[in-house]
Coordinates of all heavy atoms in Angstrom, one line a residue:
V958 N 1.1 17.1 22.7 CA 0.4 18.2 22.0 C 1.3 19.1 21.3 O 2.4 19.4 21.7 CB -0.4 19.0 23.1 CG1 -1.1 20.2 22.5 CG2 -1.3 18.1 23.9
G959 N 0.9 19.5 20.1 CA 1.6 20.4 19.3 C 2.4 19.8 18.1 O 2.8 18.7 18.2
L960 N 2.5 20.6 17.1 CA 3.1 20.2 15.9 C 4.6 19.7 16.1 O 4.9 18.5 15.7 CB 3.1 21.3 14.8 CG 3.8 21.0 13.5 CD1 3.1 19.9 12.8 CD2 3.9 22.2 12.6
R961 N 5.4 20.4 16.7 CA 6.8 20.0 16.9 C 7.0 18.8 17.7 O 7.7 17.9 17.3 CB 7.6 21.2 17.5 CG 8.1 22.2 16.5 CD 9.0 23.2 17.2 NE 8.3 24.4 17.3 CZ 8.7 25.4 18.0 NH1 9.9 25.4 18.7 NH2 8.0 26.5 18.1
E962 N 6.2 18.7 18.8 CA 6.3 17.5 19.6 C 5.8 16.3 18.9 O 6.4 15.2 19.0 CB 5.6 17.7 21.0 CG 5.8 16.7 22.0 CD 7.2 16.6 22.5 OE1 8.0 17.6 22.3 OE2 7.6 15.6 23.1
V963 N 4.7 16.4 18.2 CA 4.1 15.2 17.5 C 5.1 14.8 16.4 O 5.4 13.6 16.3 CB 2.7 15.6 16.9 CG1 2.3 14.5 16.0 CG2 1.7 15.8 18.0
L964 N 5.7 15.7 15.6 CA 6.6 15.4 14.6 C 7.9 14.7 15.2 O 8.4 13.8 14.6 CB 7.0 16.6 13.7 CG 5.9 17.1 12.8 CD1 6.3 18.4 12.2 CD2 5.4 16.1 11.8
R965 N 8.4 15.2 16.3 CA 9.6 14.7 16.9 C 9.3 13.2 17.4 O 10.1 12.3 17.1 CB 10.0 15.5 18.1 CG 11.3 15.0 18.8 CD 11.7 16.0 19.9 NE 10.9 15.9 21.1 CZ 11.0 15.0 22.0 NH1 11.9 14.1 21.9 NH2 10.2 15.0 23.1
R966 N 8.2 13.0 18.1 CA 7.9 11.7 18.5 C 7.5 10.7 17.4 O 7.8 9.6 17.5 CB 6.7 11.7 19.5 CG 6.9 12.5 20.8 CD 8.0 11.8 21.7 NE 8.2 12.6 22.9 CZ 7.6 12.3 24.0 NH1 6.8 11.2 24.1 NH2 7.8 13.0 25.1
M967 N 7.0 11.3 16.3 CA 6.7 10.4 15.2 C 8.0 9.9 14.5 O 8.1 8.8 14.2 CB 5.8 11.2 14.1 CG 5.2 10.3 13.1 SD 4.2 11.1 11.9 CE 3.0 11.9 12.9
A968 N 9.0 10.8 14.5 CA 10.3 10.5 13.9 C 11.0 9.4 14.8 O 11.8 8.6 14.3 CB 11.2 11.7 13.8
E969 N 10.6 9.4 16.1 CA 11.2 8.4 17.0 C 10.4 7.1 16.9 O 10.7 6.1 17.6 CB 11.2 8.9 18.4 CG 12.1 10.1 18.6 CD 11.9 10.8 20.0 OE1 11.0 10.4 20.7 OE2 12.7 11.7 20.3
G970 N 9.3 7.0 16.2 CA 8.4 5.9 16.1 C 7.5 5.7 17.3 O 7.1 4.6 17.6
K971 N 7.3 6.7 18.0 CA 6.5 6.6 19.3 C 5.0 7.0 19.1 O 4.3 7.0 20.1 CB 7.2 7.5 20.3 CG 8.5 7.0 20.7 CD 9.2 7.8 21.8 CE 10.5 7.3 22.2 NZ 11.2 8.1 23.2
I972 N 4.6 7.5 17.9 CA 3.2 7.9 17.8 C 2.4 6.8 17.2 O 2.8 6.2 16.2 CB 3.1 9.1 16.9 CG1 3.8 10.3 17.5 CG2 1.7 9.5 16.5 CD1 3.2 10.9 18.7
L973 N 1.3 6.5 17.8 CA 0.3 5.5 17.3 C -0.7 6.1 16.4 O -1.1 5.5 15.4 CB -0.3 4.8 18.5 CG -1.4 3.7 18.2 CD1 -0.8 2.5 17.6 CD2 -2.1 3.3 19.5
L974 N -1.2 7.3 16.8 CA -2.3 7.9 16.1 C -2.2 9.4 16.2 O -1.8 9.9 17.3 CB -3.6 7.4 16.7 CG -4.9 8.0 16.2 CD1 -5.2 7.4 14.8 CD2 -6.1 7.7 17.1
V975 N -2.6 10.1 15.2 CA -2.6 11.6 15.2 C -4.1 12.0 15.2 O -4.9 11.5 14.4 CB -1.8 12.2 14.0 CG1 -2.1 13.6 13.9 CG2 -0.4 11.9 14.2
V976 N -4.4 13.0 16.0 CA -5.7 13.7 16.0 C -5.5 15.1 15.5 O -4.8 15.9 16.2 CB -6.4 13.7 17.4 CG1 -7.8 14.3 17.2 CG2 -6.5 12.2 17.9
L977 N -6.1 15.5 14.4 CA -5.8 16.7 13.7 C -7.1 17.6 13.7 O -8.1 17.1 13.3 CB -5.3 16.4 12.3 CG -5.0 17.6 11.4 CD1 -3.9 18.5 12.0 CD2 -4.6 17.1 10.0
A978 N -7.0 18.8 14.1 CA -8.2 19.7 14.0 C -8.5 20.1 12.6 O -7.6 20.5 11.8 CB -7.9 21.0 14.9
A979 N -9.7 20.0 12.2 CA -10.2 20.3 10.9 C -9.9 21.8 10.5 O -9.7 22.1 9.3 CB -11.7 20.0 10.7
D980 N -9.9 22.7 11.5 CA -9.6 24.1 11.2 C -8.2 24.5 11.4 O -7.9 25.7 11.4 CB -10.6 25.0 12.0 CG -10.5 24.9 13.5 OD1 -9.8 23.9 13.9 OD2 -11.0 25.7 14.2
A981 N -7.3 23.6 11.5 CA -5.9 23.9 11.6 C -5.4 24.6 10.3 O -6.0 24.4 9.2 CB -5.0 22.7 11.9
E982 N -4.3 25.3 10.3 CA -3.8 26.0 9.1 C -3.4 24.9 8.1 O -2.9 23.8 8.5 CB -2.6 26.9 9.5 CG -3.0 28.1 10.3 CD -1.9 29.0 10.6 OE1 -0.9 29.0 9.8 OE2 -1.9 29.6 11.7
E983 N -3.6 25.2 6.8 CA -3.3 24.3 5.8 C -1.9 23.7 5.8 O -1.7 22.6 5.5 CB -3.6 24.9 4.4 CG -4.6 24.3 3.5 CD -5.4 23.1 3.9 OE1 -6.5 23.3 4.5 OE2 -4.9 22.0 3.6
H984 N -0.9 24.6 6.0 CA 0.5 24.1 6.0 C 0.8 23.1 7.1 O 1.6 22.2 7.0 CB 1.5 25.3 6.1 CG 1.5 26.0 7.4 ND1 2.5 25.7 8.4 CD2 0.8 27.0 8.0 CE1 2.3 26.4 9.5 NE2 1.3 27.2 9.2
I985 N 0.0 23.3 8.3 CA 0.2 22.3 9.4 C -0.4 21.0 8.9 O 0.1 19.9 9.1 CB -0.5 22.8 10.6 CG1 0.4 24.0 11.2 CG2 -0.6 21.7 11.7 CD1 -0.3 24.7 12.4
K986 N -1.6 21.0 8.4 CA -2.3 19.8 7.9 C -1.5 19.1 6.9 O -1.4 17.8 7.0 CB -3.7 20.1 7.5 CG -4.7 20.6 8.6 CD -6.1 20.6 8.2 CE -6.5 21.7 7.2 NZ -8.0 21.7 7.0
S987 N -1.0 19.8 5.9 CA -0.3 19.1 4.8 C 1.0 18.5 5.4 O 1.4 17.4 5.0 CB 0.0 20.0 3.7 OG 0.8 21.1 4.0
R988 N 1.7 19.2 6.2 CA 2.9 18.7 6.8 C 2.7 17.4 7.7 O 3.4 16.4 7.6 CB 3.6 19.8 7.7 CG 5.0 19.4 8.2 CD 5.6 20.6 8.8 NE 6.9 20.2 9.3 CZ 7.6 21.0 10.1 NH1 7.2 22.2 10.4 NH2 8.7 20.6 10.6
L989 N 1.6 17.4 8.4 CA 1.3 16.3 9.3 C 0.8 15.1 8.4 O 1.2 14.0 8.7 CB 0.2 16.7 10.3 CG 0.8 17.3 11.5 CD1 -0.3 17.9 12.4 CD2 1.5 16.2 12.4
K990 N 0.0 15.4 7.4 CA -0.4 14.3 6.6 C 0.7 13.6 5.9 O 0.8 12.4 5.8 CB -1.5 14.8 5.6 CG -2.8 15.1 6.3 CD -3.8 15.7 5.3 CE -5.1 16.1 6.0 NZ -6.0 16.8 5.1
A991 N 1.7 14.4 5.4 CA 2.9 13.8 4.7 C 3.7 13.0 5.7 O 4.2 11.9 5.4 CB 3.7 14.9 4.1

């Protein structure tokens, strides 16, 4: 859970899927989508 942990695990190749809240702040959504 959380932006930092998801990004860290994604960089390690450990994330299969991301669930993103529609009402999250735009900078979080754009960073995660990238």
